[in-house]
């Protein structure tokens, strides 16, 4: 998994503003027969694997760990606030 430098800067600010925690990737149900990945700033849960990626603490739900190997998190600042995009996920057939 990779986190771009721009996404790192935005995530670092979000973590600081929330008073701590980490970036957490979790199983968010199924879409088109494939697992969906959710992303939030929160404390790690018991079944999470903890990693540090580009200086960001990341907790990954072990149920989706295999889906994050080729994942890249990109970010940009918009008028509505920071926006993030995950690329490198397996293609879905829908």
């Amino acid at each position: 998994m990779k986190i771009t430098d721009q996404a790192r800067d935005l995530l670092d600010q979000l973590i600081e503003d929330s008073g701590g925690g980490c970036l957490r990737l979790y199983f968010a149900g199924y879409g088109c027969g494939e697992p969906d990945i959710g992303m939030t700033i929160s404390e790690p849960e018991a079944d999470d694997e903890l990693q540090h990626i580009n200086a960001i603490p990341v907790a990954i739900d072990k149920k989706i760990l295999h889906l994050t190997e080729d994942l890249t998190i990109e970010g940009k600042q918009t008028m509505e606030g920071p926006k993030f995009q995950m690329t490198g996920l397996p293609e879905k057939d829908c």
Side-chain angles (χ1 to χ4, degrees):
M1 185 169 120
K2 297 176 188 165
I3 298 174
T4 65
D5 290 344
Q6 189 171 12
R8 177 202 58 215
D9 295 344
L10 294 169
L11 288 165
D12 192 44
Q13 187 62 51
L14 287 173
I15 291 168
E16 185 178 319
D17 291 348
S18 70
C22 63
L23 173 64
R24 183 167 186 272
L25 303 178
Y26 60 93
F27 172 71
Y30 287 95
C32 301
E34 296 291 328
D36 283 332
I37 298 175
M39 186 168 64
T40 189
I41 303 294
S42 69
E43 294 297 324
E45 295 193 5
D47 263 1
D48 291 346
E49 179 171 305
L50 299 175
Q51 301 180 7
H52 272 80
I53 302 168
N54 200 4
I56 297 294
V58 181
I60 304 171
D61 183 338
K62 288 183 181 175
K63 290 181 282 226
I64 56 135
L65 188 60
H66 66 286
L67 297 174
T68 63
E69 292 172 5
D70 296 324
L71 183 72
T72 298
I73 298 175
E74 301 172 21
K76 65 179 177 179
Q77 186 65 40
T78 70
M79 296 293 283
E80 294 85 31
K83 299 287 181 188
F84 297 94
Q85 178 180 352
M86 290 185 266
T87 58
L89 293 169
E91 293 292 322
K92 293 184 179 188
D93 294 327
C94 19

